[in-house]
Amino acid sequence: MRNHKHFPATPALSVRDITYRYQSRFAKTPESVLTELSCTIEAGSLIGILGPNGSGKSTLLKLLARVFSAQDGTIELFGQDILNLSQAEIAKTVAIVPQETQQIFPFTIGEMVLMGRFPHHAGVGGWHWEDPADLAIVEMAMQDLDVAHLADRLITDVSGGERQRAIIARALAQDPKILLLDEPTAFLDLHHQLDIARILRRLNQERGLTVVLVSHDLNLASQYCEQLMLLNQGHIVTTGTPEEVISPDVLEHVYGCEVLVDRHPQSGMPRVSLPV
Ligand code: ADP
Ligand code: MG
């Protein structure tokens, strides 16, 4: 029999030596924005990706969801090369909440969350929107994100916090094993930041959802993530627990400014402040 200590479960995502360049009209070989980057995201983890503006966080997240494909290297999703999977197959396992979500079409929140079910019906033809199994998953996703009472409201007619929760509910309605979020708390007030962080932690702890959270907010990441990965200029500078990553030496080197690190009064985890 297999001893799980010696044969750990297949990682949720396994990234090996990926290099990514955006196409350029001017440069024949544009500079890579991610360079020979390798990392492993274990199933069931809650991992934060940090780094200065332009360090490649959003690009990495898009590669993990195969919005883009790397020019070099491989990404395996539960052991399968993502290049061998269809978009619908990937979307049944990986959901992404992108950084910029311009919502142009005035769907209701209920309709929008229901669209999260689409990958589960792609290619089979004749999807009935009123399928009770789909509606049950949609209802649960809306309850998880506390937007069920807004199901009939237009997405264009709600607050920023409500809209962001509805967008995360749509991602959850995909019933993914991995949820990728790109700065989901940017532009939200403190209360809504806390709501989203707690919801993500609950989904991770209670349902084993693998959560990959790109954030600018070092303190939020330090409090809620078990593992952090710090990017700079397309490379991983360091990866480890918040204690290992949130250190003045590392942060000063990467962000190029003085930082103070003390302890959060409740959790004891590292807390970052800027000097006066
Ligand atoms: P982050 O999310 O960490 O701020 P990004 O992944 O968005 O970083 O960007 C990494 C680098 O790639 C930056 O230098 C950025 O200017 C560049 N970049 C991002 N998107 C594009 C694009 N669509 N075309 C060309 N370059 C891009
Ligand atoms: Mg970004």
Side-chain angles (χ1 to χ4, degrees):
M1 219 170 82
R2 275 190 162 193
N3 178 337
H4 288 282
K5 278 200 176 134
H6 295 113
F7 295 95
T10 314
L13 285 159
S14 177
V15 174
R16 259 175 266 137
D17 294 325
I18 51 166
T19 294
Y20 186 77
R21 297 182 168 82
Y22 285 98
Q23 302 289 348
S24 165
R25 254 191 272 172
F26 305 105
K28 247 195 193 153
T29 315
E31 269 189 49
S32 54
V33 298
L34 294 173
T35 312
E36 293 178 11
L37 185 145
S38 299
C39 63
T40 301
I41 295 170
E42 301 295 346
S45 57
L46 171 45
I47 180 162
I49 301 180
L50 306 171
N53 291 329
S55 55
K57 304 180 298 294
S58 297
T59 305
L60 175 59
L61 218 60
K62 286 175 184 162
L63 289 170
L64 296 179
R66 222 190 73 190
V67 178
F68 307 144
S69 300
Q71 282 89 3
D72 271 307
T74 57
I75 298 178
E76 287 183 358
L77 176 59
F78 290 104
Q80 283 188 289
D81 189 331
I82 57 169
L83 295 180
N84 297 334
L85 300 171
S86 69
Q87 283 297 350
E89 283 170 316
I90 293 170
K92 280 191 247 179
T93 308
V94 184
I96 182 165
V97 174
Q99 187 167 9
E100 60 297 309
T101 42
Q102 293 112 343
Q103 190 66 46
I104 311 156
F105 300 106
F107 292 113
T108 67
I109 285 182
E111 288 164 343
M112 200 193 78
V113 177
L114 187 55
M115 283 173 211
R117 297 303 302 153
F118 185 72
H120 293 268
H121 300 273
V124 292
W127 177 29
H128 301 291
W129 283 77
E130 60 280 7
D131 181 332
D134 288 324
L135 292 178
I137 291 171
V138 165
E139 179 64 31
M140 190 160 95
M142 288 196 297
Q143 276 172 13
D144 283 335
L145 272 300
D146 192 24
V147 292
H149 62 291
L150 300 170
D152 293 320
R153 286 270 284 282
L154 294 177
I155 187 72
T156 45
D157 294 349
V158 294
S159 73
E162 291 164 340
R163 180 161 48 242
Q164 187 64 310
R165 295 207 307 275
I167 291 166
I168 299 173
R170 176 175 61 184
L172 269 194
Q174 277 173 240
D175 196 19
K177 293 196 168 53
I178 306 171
L179 180 60
L180 311 175
L181 305 109
D182 200 347
E183 301 195 21
T185 58
F187 313 117
L188 297 185
D189 63 33
L190 285 177
H191 182 157
H192 291 107
Q193 289 178 26
L194 184 63
D195 272 354
I196 288 188
R198 284 181 169 164
I199 288 166
L200 295 177
R201 184 170 57 189
R202 184 161 50 79
L203 291 167
N204 171 257
Q205 289 180 347
E206 293 177 8
R207 307 223 191 122
L209 183 69
T210 305
V211 178
V212 182
L213 172 70
V214 165
S215 181
H216 256 316
D217 189 335
L218 299 172
N219 287 321
L220 187 100
S222 174
Q223 299 314 312
Y224 286 89
C225 298
E226 309 158 328
Q227 287 285 313
L228 298 176
M229 183 193 296
L230 180 62
L231 287 187
N232 194 23
Q233 299 181 349
H235 296 272
I236 296 176
V237 179
T238 180
T239 171
T241 60
E243 275 95 347
E244 289 163 338
V245 175
I246 307 284
S247 82
D249 287 353
V250 173
L251 297 181
E252 283 174 10
H253 168 70
V254 168
Y255 287 90
C257 68
E258 196 190 329
V259 300
L260 307 168
V261 176
D262 63 355
R263 297 270 156 188
H264 187 281
Q266 269 186 319
S267 69
M269 299 304 280
R271 179 177 63 173
V272 180
S273 322
L274 295 172
V276 287

